[in-house]
């Protein structure tokens, strides 16, 4: 479900609560005038000043900080941040919200501290900043957090308001039912701290689910690993997170995919493999992981090669004690160790040609 949390003025909140809007989701106030809220886009207004104050306090904003805010909406959170930070850079995709945000900041004499970028946060290059404080749109939570923690910008922390279920997945640890690839990848480079839950009743109109505030702290010391290789490895392991690693890697299709990616295949063998799957009509080679033609798995030129390769994989798992282990119960330290064993044996997960 796609949804988005927007901050709004307290006057508007009271206007809604009293049941006086001229039409559903239409509101006005002294600051903003009329505005139509698109519930289908998840535009829910945060109305609880206690929550806003707590978010700003827990973000530990310093007087010299430049704060990055994604999806500021009409600026309830933004105005509070402007009072304590040197500068706030807000990225907003809704032009109506941009106009209201600038107007509210100007009326309070804070416009010199505010910089608004009218763009899609996922598609724009992020400016330099010290910390992030934001109500993250649920529909882009995962890619946006990945952009933060794996991007080129270094920052002190990210205090984020997220859908509660998504936050629980981000906070999950090995052995938890919600432990997943998202948590594994983020926690490789950052620590995630739970701050508080936020009731859906603190928003107008009321969304269907509650929210949570979390704080992400980038790690000073990050493991030395090829990130593309790590992401591809965790994608393979967590495709069936509760399945044993032995069962996952015994599949012919999986062995075929890894065989094609591995550097253990010399130039001559690579040509043999290419010729086996070459499409004479399209002049293309199918290199998409999920589109492998299973008929190729039974070609004589591949059968022996794959069996030997698969045996090698299983032997590594068996010798290291991982054959009967499940990804959902493995720590990052264990996963990094297993990946290093595979790489040392010439087994790779990332398609370097791509």
């Amino acid at each position: 479900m796609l949804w988005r949390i927007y901050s709004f003025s307290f006057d508007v909140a009271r206007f809604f609560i009293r049941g006086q809007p001229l039409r559903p989701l239409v509101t006005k106030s002294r600051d903003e005038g009329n505005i139509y809220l698109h519930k289908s886009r998840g535009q829910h207004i945060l109305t609880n000043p206690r929550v806003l104050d707590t978010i700003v306090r827990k973000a530990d904003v310093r007087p010299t900080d430049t704060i990055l805010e994604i999806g500021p909406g009409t600026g309830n959170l933004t105005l509070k941040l402007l009072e304590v930070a040197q500068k706030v850079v807000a990225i907003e995709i809704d032009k109506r919200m941009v106009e209201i945000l600038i107007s509210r900041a100007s009326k309070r004499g804070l416009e010199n501290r505010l910089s608004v970028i009218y763009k899609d946060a996922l598609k724009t290059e992020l400016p330099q900043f010290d910390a992030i404080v934001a109500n993250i749109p649920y529909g882009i939570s995962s890619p946006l957090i990945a952009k933060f923690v794996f991007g080129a910008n270094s920052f002190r922390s990210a205090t984020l308001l997220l859908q509660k279920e998504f936050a629980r997945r981000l906070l999950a640890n090995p052995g938890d039912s919600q432990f997943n690839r998202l948590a594994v990848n983020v926690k490789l480079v950052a620590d995630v701290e739970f701050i508080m839950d936020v009731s859906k009743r603190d928003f107008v109109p009321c969304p269907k689910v509650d929210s949570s505030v979390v704080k992400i702290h980038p790690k000073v010391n990050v493991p030395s690993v090829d990130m593309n290789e790590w992401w591809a490895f965790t994608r393979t392991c967590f495709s069936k997170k509760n399945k044993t690693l032995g069962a996952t890697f015994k599949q012919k299709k999986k062995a075929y995919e890894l065989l094609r990616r591995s550097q253990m295949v010399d130039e001559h063998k690579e040509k043999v493999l290419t010729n086996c799957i070459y499409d004479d009509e399209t002049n293309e080679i199918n290199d998409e992981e999920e589109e492998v033609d299973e008929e190729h798995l039974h070609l004589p030129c591949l059968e022996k090669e794959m069996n030997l390769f698969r045996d090698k994989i299983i032997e590594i798992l068996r010798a290291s004690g991982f054959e009967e282990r499940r990804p959902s119960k493995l720590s990052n330290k264990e996963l990094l160790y297993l990946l290093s064993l595979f790489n040392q044996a010439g087994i790779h997960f990332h398609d370097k040609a791509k």
Side-chain angles (χ1 to χ4, degrees):
M1 176 180 63
L2 301 181
W3 67 295
R4 191 170 186 172
I5 300 172
Y6 275 117
S7 301
F8 216 65
S9 73
F10 303 135
D11 290 337
V12 175
R14 289 192 290 270
F15 185 82
F16 263 103
I17 292 170
R18 291 170 184 166
Q20 300 174 356
L22 299 176
R23 56 181 293 194
L25 305 183
V26 178
T27 189
K28 68 178 182 179
S29 74
R30 294 187 301 271
D31 286 337
E32 293 83 14
N34 294 309
I35 186 170
Y36 184 88
L37 300 176
H38 298 279
K39 190 173 181 180
S40 61
R41 298 178 185 175
Q43 293 183 338
H44 298 274
I45 305 167
L46 180 60
T47 62
N48 190 329
R50 178 187 60 82
V51 174
L52 291 167
D53 289 338
T54 302
I55 290 174
V56 174
R57 186 175 69 255
K58 291 293 186 178
D60 297 318
V61 179
R62 301 171 185 174
T64 56
D65 278 346
T66 293
I67 301 298
L68 177 67
E69 184 182 11
I70 307 297
T74 56
N76 274 2
L77 181 59
T78 313
L79 294 177
K80 288 186 174 292
L81 290 170
L82 287 170
E83 293 174 357
V84 295
Q86 184 177 69
K87 182 179 181 182
V88 174
V89 178
I91 303 179
E92 175 58 63
I93 198 172
D94 190 326
K95 186 178 181 180
R96 304 168 309 150
M97 302 295 183
V98 170
E99 293 172 351
I100 292 171
L101 177 61
I102 293 175
S103 174
R104 295 186 71 195
S106 298
K107 289 178 180 180
R108 288 161 177 76
L110 299 171
E111 67 275 16
N112 292 333
R113 295 186 182 184
L114 176 65
S115 175
V116 181
I117 300 175
Y118 174 40
K119 289 184 179 180
D120 185 333
L122 287 177
K123 298 179 180 179
T124 188
E125 183 177 349
L126 299 180
Q128 292 298 316
F129 56 90
D130 298 298
I132 306 165
V133 185
N135 303 332
I136 299 298
Y138 176 63
I140 60 171
S141 295
S142 186
L144 199 53
I145 289 175
K147 184 170 185 174
F148 293 156
V149 300
F150 295 112
N153 297 58
S154 60
F155 60 95
R156 188 172 68 252
S157 66
T159 306
L160 308 175
L161 181 57
L162 306 165
Q163 188 200 40
K164 186 175 181 178
E165 180 184 351
F166 183 88
R168 292 297 183 269
R169 292 175 56 216
L170 196 61
L171 290 160
N173 293 310
D176 294 344
S177 61
Q178 293 177 309
F179 190 57
N180 60 94
R181 183 171 173 248
L182 170 70
V184 166
N185 287 341
V186 171
K187 290 182 179 180
L188 180 72
V189 297
D191 295 315
V192 185
E193 174 190 2
F194 171 76
I195 301 298
M196 67 177 181
D197 289 326
V198 180
S199 171
K200 60 186 178 182
R201 293 186 295 275
D202 290 329
F203 301 93
V204 176
C206 183
K208 295 181 180 180
V209 296
D210 293 329
S211 301
S212 295
V213 178
V214 303
K215 191 171 185 180
I216 298 175
H217 306 267
K219 292 181 178 178
V220 176
N221 299 313
V222 177
S224 179
V225 62
D226 183 322
M227 293 309 304
N228 287 318
E229 182 73 3
W230 169 260
W231 292 329
F233 172 64
T234 57
R235 182 173 59 246
T236 297
C237 293
F238 281 83
S239 60
K240 299 289 183 181
K241 67 175 186 177
N242 292 317
K243 199 173 186 178
T244 66
L245 289 169
T248 295
F249 285 101
K250 283 178 182 177
Q251 300 175 65
K252 273 190 174 183
K253 182 179 178 181
K254 189 60 61 182
Y256 171 74
E257 293 166 356
L258 293 178
L259 178 58
R260 292 188 59 214
R261 287 179 171 84
S262 295
Q263 295 179 344
M264 67 172 291
V265 182
D266 61 29
E267 184 178 354
H268 172 70
K269 291 178 181 177
E270 185 65 43
K271 288 180 180 178
V272 172
L273 291 175
T274 299
N275 291 334
C276 283
I277 61 173
Y278 195 86
D279 189 328
D280 291 324
E281 294 186 5
T282 63
N283 292 326
E284 294 179 353
I285 296 175
N286 178 8
D287 60 359
E288 291 297 327
E289 184 173 320
E290 56 276 359
E291 297 180 359
V292 174
D293 188 344
E294 294 193 6
E295 291 184 3
H296 297 148
L297 307 185
H298 303 290
L299 294 174
C301 59
L302 288 177
E303 191 78 27
K304 183 177 180 180
E305 192 81 37
M306 280 196 302
N307 287 338
L308 290 173
F309 188 77
R310 185 170 55 182
D311 290 345
K312 183 177 183 179
I313 293 174
I314 298 304
E315 178 55 34
I316 292 173
L317 291 173
R318 185 173 296 132
S320 59
F322 284 102
E323 185 179 14
E324 299 301 321
R325 302 289 301 279
R326 304 175 194 276
S328 60
K329 298 183 183 300
L330 295 179
S331 66
N332 273 6
K333 183 177 180 180
E334 291 172 308
L335 289 167
L336 283 166
Y337 175 61
L338 178 57
L339 177 59
S340 70
L341 293 179
F342 279 134
N343 288 171
Q344 290 168 19
I347 300 169
H348 295 269
F349 295 79
H350 173 58
D351 191 336
K352 295 184 182 298
K354 283 187 177 181

